[in-house]
Amino acid sequence: MLYDNLSVNELGHLTIGGLDTVDLADRFGAPLYVLDEDQVRANCRTYVQALGQYMPQGSYPLFAGKALCFKGLYPILDSEGMGADVVSPGEIYTALAGGFPPEKLYFHGNNKTDEDIQYALESGVGHFIVDNHHELERLDRAAGEMGICQKVLLRVTPGIDPHTLQAINTGRIDCQFGVPIETGQAARFVQSAVGMKNLEVLGFHSHIGSQIFEAEPFCDAVDILLDFADQMRKELGFTVRVLNLGGGFGVRYKESDPVVDIPGNIKALSEHLKEGCAAKDYPVPQILLEPGRSIVANAGLTLYRVGGVKTIEGYRSYITVNGGMTDNPRYALYQAPYTVLPADRMNDQRDFQCTIAGRCCESGDLIQENIMMPKAERDDLIAVLTTGAYNFTMSSNYNRLCRPALVLVHAGQARLAVRRQTFEDLIACDL
Ligand SMILES: *Cc1c(COP(=O)(O)O)cnc(C)c1O
């Protein structure tokens, strides 16, 4: 099994967190998002403990809400000692509705509107990750008007492509987020920021990418950020107290993907950081990480009912399911790999080569192509694994399909966390 929380019971059914997926689909309907809360909690603990053990006091992980965001998730994150990234007022609203402490929120975004800034300040959001000069000026003014001194981190781009491990790859500097170090613009950004009366600059933020399986790209980022921090200390007398290294440890979508040793990587990163700081006689900053995918992806799966099988003789066979790109657009968008399982007949021979198609009026609405499954029949149950991240949050009402429900599995019990949309929900905003 791809993950330890998955198993097969005596009926040959797939289980998650000990619960039979066939029972879950019978009880809550399909398509259905299932999220193993215990796995989410275990993933949170891995980060909280490793950062606590290896990094300076005050270091902790922030969950990136763009990976998964619903009210009921936030009490779980809070109780596990996580902070949270938010990228929009809607995410702030959701986190606060879930009772999350605003001081542990970190507000991202490359185009925060004046309304967004106002809303976040009024909500008491603890930290802004300031993306650019415009935001810096507008935030300083808004904070001043409210008599607030707002804590900020400055987003800089170190210019690293984590997948080629090539430092100073212009491809990565050339992006819409943050201010590049290499061009000298980040130095001017920091200079302006530390001169702002209503902002307290704690340090820098950088996010180098996603699906990273080793510590090395993060170490490269640390090298560049420390050089830059040292330069800023010399030029401005400004010392970084917090370094936020962004998100990105990878997860396994297929058996062929490696298993990431998160504590081992954090330990390696901390040693690298401490050596780098010692060489410069620089105080070791607190470290923040922003995992999204690696907190929730492997805790989730999606269940679908099979509608039918279509074989085009001499070409290929399709198994059609009652969801698709509306609940998981990632294959349609960028051919994301997934493991698909026959949830109700796990012990059957997988000798039928097929493509899993959704139900939308779009030939690109596929979940996975050319995989091996048992020959399916109508009403069979299919599970797509590792869908806890970037599925629910990227879902849509295309073709006016209702969004599926989301069920949390905890200590052998299932409870509804997000109910299935109804037709009334679909027309709720239509006047
Ligand atoms: C996407 C993103 C993350 C989360 O990335 P994962 O791959 O889901 O861990 C964290 N921080 C920022 C700034 C991001 O854009």
Side-chain angles (χ1 to χ4, degrees):
M1 280 290 172
L2 201 56
Y3 289 109
D4 293 343
N5 63 337
L6 303 173
S7 185
V8 178
N9 67 15
E10 62 290 350
L11 300 170
H13 296 172
L14 176 69
T15 66
I16 175 166
L19 295 188
D20 187 324
T21 53
V22 175
D23 289 345
L24 289 172
D26 287 344
R27 187 169 154 207
F28 297 101
L32 183 69
Y33 293 118
V34 183
L35 189 72
D36 180 353
E37 177 180 334
D38 300 320
Q39 185 67 50
V40 173
R41 288 181 179 276
N43 295 341
C44 290
R45 274 171 216 170
T46 299
Y47 277 97
V48 170
Q49 284 171 6
L51 284 169
Q53 183 176 353
Y54 300 117
M55 294 293 188
Q57 187 159 17
S59 301
Y60 77 130
L62 318 173
F63 174 69
K66 72 177 189 197
L68 185 62
C69 188
F70 62 92
K71 220 168 84 176
L73 182 62
Y74 284 90
I76 298 171
L77 297 171
D78 187 29
S79 72
E80 293 300 337
M82 303 282 291
D85 270 11
V86 284
V87 298
S88 69
E91 286 190 3
I92 295 172
Y93 184 83
T94 306
L96 296 180
F100 201 77
E103 57 277 10
K104 288 202 299 175
L105 291 178
Y106 292 71
F107 188 21
H108 272 278
N110 63 326
N111 187 9
K112 302 181 185 81
T113 67
D114 288 335
E115 291 78 15
D116 295 349
I117 290 173
Q118 196 64 29
Y119 177 69
L121 289 175
E122 281 166 9
S123 304
V125 163
H127 303 79
F128 276 62
I129 318 279
V130 181
D131 184 88
N132 55 62
H133 265 284
H134 294 289
E135 183 188 337
L136 199 61
E137 281 159 23
R138 290 185 295 123
L139 178 60
D140 182 57
R141 199 174 327 124
E145 280 164 13
M146 289 178 67
I148 294 172
C149 185
Q150 179 62 46
K151 291 192 175 78
V152 302
L153 296 173
L154 304 176
R155 181 158 182 172
V156 296
T157 38
I160 286 176
D161 184 334
H163 299 290
T164 60
L165 297 184
Q166 222 181 335
I168 322 299
N169 174 318
T170 44
R172 298 302 301 176
I173 283 174
D174 181 7
C175 86
Q176 71 268 51
F177 305 108
V179 183
I181 294 173
E182 197 198 41
T183 60
Q185 287 162 288
R188 297 197 288 280
F189 185 42
V190 177
Q191 185 173 18
S192 309
V194 297
M196 300 265 171
K197 276 210 296 292
N198 309 301
L199 304 182
E200 181 186 358
V201 184
L202 298 184
F204 305 144
H205 169 278
S206 85
H207 172 75
I208 51 176
S210 284
Q211 275 296 77
I212 301 172
F213 289 93
E214 64 288 284
E216 202 178 336
F218 288 106
C219 292
D220 291 348
V222 161
D223 289 344
I224 295 169
L225 291 168
L226 281 183
D227 282 346
F228 180 60
D230 198 34
Q231 181 197 340
M232 291 299 96
R233 181 172 64 167
K234 288 184 182 125
E235 289 177 15
L236 306 169
F238 166 73
T239 305
V240 164
R241 280 178 282 157
V242 177
L243 264 193
N244 180 335
L245 298 175
F249 279 122
V251 299
R252 301 182 78 205
Y253 288 102
K254 297 252 189 194
E255 296 281 355
S256 54
D257 290 328
V259 178
V260 188
D261 172 9
I262 291 172
N265 279 305
I266 290 177
K267 180 164 184 270
L269 183 59
S270 93
E271 284 162 5
H272 189 83
L273 172 77
K274 286 170 187 167
E275 279 167 26
C277 288
K280 293 182 159 55
D281 194 21
Y282 203 95
V284 185
Q286 293 167 19
I287 295 296
L288 305 179
L289 292 177
E290 303 175 329
R293 192 188 310 265
S294 52
I295 297 289
V296 289
N298 70 350
L301 57 76
T302 307
L303 298 174
Y304 301 103
R305 280 286 170 218
V306 171
V309 179
K310 168 178 178 173
T311 296
I312 306 159
E313 285 167 17
Y315 293 85
R316 64 169 150 175
S317 296
Y318 291 90
I319 293 179
T320 311
V321 297
N322 63 344
M325 64 188 288
T326 42
D327 58 79
N328 182 0
R330 294 185 71 251
Y331 191 81
L333 275 175
Y334 36 69
Q335 283 74 56
Y338 282 104
T339 298
V340 183
L341 296 176
D344 56 350
R345 32 199 178 132
M346 291 293 290
N347 298 330
D348 286 17
Q349 198 68 29
R350 291 176 208 168
D351 53 5
F352 181 59
Q353 186 172 350
C354 59
T355 287
I356 311 292
R359 59 169 295 177
C360 291
C361 303
E362 204 51 71
S363 54
D365 179 16
L366 304 176
I367 293 289
Q368 211 61 201
E369 288 181 274
N370 301 322
I371 58 167
M372 297 309 290
M373 292 286 281
K375 181 141 192 215
E377 284 164 26
R378 192 172 170 79
D379 291 334
D380 275 355
L381 194 68
I382 281 188
V384 180
L385 305 186
T386 330
T387 58
Y390 303 109
N391 277 227
F392 178 83
T393 47
M394 292 176 94
S395 65
S396 77
N397 288 124
Y398 183 54
N399 285 184
R400 287 248 148 169
L401 292 176
C402 294
R403 286 194 176 87
L406 187 152
V407 160
L408 281 173
V409 171
H410 173 52
Q413 302 285 323
R415 76 184 156 94
L416 200 58
V418 181
R419 67 157 171 80
R420 188 176 302 282
Q421 282 186 325
T422 62
F423 296 149
E424 294 88 85
D425 292 325
L426 295 178
I427 59 162
C429 300
D430 302 6
L431 301 177

